[in-house]
Amino acid sequence: LGPRLIMTDDAATEISALKKVFPESIHLLCIWHVLTANYRWIWNARHSIQQKDRSNLHNLFRKLLYTKTEAEYDEEMETLLESDLVAKYPQLPYID
C-alpha cells in the first residue's frame, strides 16, 4: 500500500517517481517550499507587484497557511480574498 502521505519539496522528477511507486498516497508540498514559491512569485518583477505591497501580501498568505483548523482556514481565506490589497492584484496565483 505504501505511505498515506508523502511530503516533498517541489522536485518534479521526485514527485513523478513517488506517484508511480505509491499511486494511492497523497502528495503534500513542504510548507517552507510553498512559502518560498509564494515569496519568489511576489518578488518577481514580471508579476508587477509593487514593492510596498510585497511583504503584506506574503504575510496574508503565510497567515493562511499556518491556520490550525478548517474554520480558521476559512476565516483567513475570506480575509485574504476580501482584502483590498489582494483585489489590487488579480494576477495572484491563488485568486480565481
Side-chain angles (χ1 to χ4, degrees):
L1 292 173
R4 286 187 181 170
L5 297 171
I6 300 172
M7 184 179 295
T8 68
D9 61 6
D10 197 16
T13 53
E14 179 183 18
I15 293 166
S16 178
L18 287 166
K19 284 183 180 184
K20 286 179 184 174
V21 176
F22 304 115
E24 301 298 317
S25 296
I26 297 170
H27 174 254
L28 301 173
L29 285 177
C30 162
I31 198 165
W32 183 87
H33 286 92
V34 173
L35 286 171
T36 299
N38 182 66
Y39 179 90
R40 288 180 179 158
W41 195 95
I42 287 173
W43 264 264
N44 187 320
R46 73 176 177 199
H47 296 124
S48 302
I49 306 296
Q50 292 180 10
Q51 188 170 357
K52 67 183 178 85
D53 295 333
R54 293 173 182 170
S55 290
N56 291 331
L57 283 169
H58 186 66
N59 288 335
L60 281 169
F61 186 71
R62 181 176 36 194
K63 196 169 180 186
L64 175 72
L65 287 184
Y66 279 104
T67 58
K68 294 185 184 346
T69 66
E70 189 173 344
E72 191 179 336
Y73 175 87
D74 291 342
E75 183 179 320
E76 291 302 328
M77 179 58 90
E78 187 174 333
T79 298
L80 186 141
L81 293 175
E82 292 179 356
S83 165
D84 290 339
L85 181 59
V86 170
K88 187 175 171 180
Y89 300 106
Q91 72 271 34
L92 288 167
Y94 37 87
I95 306 304
D96 290 319

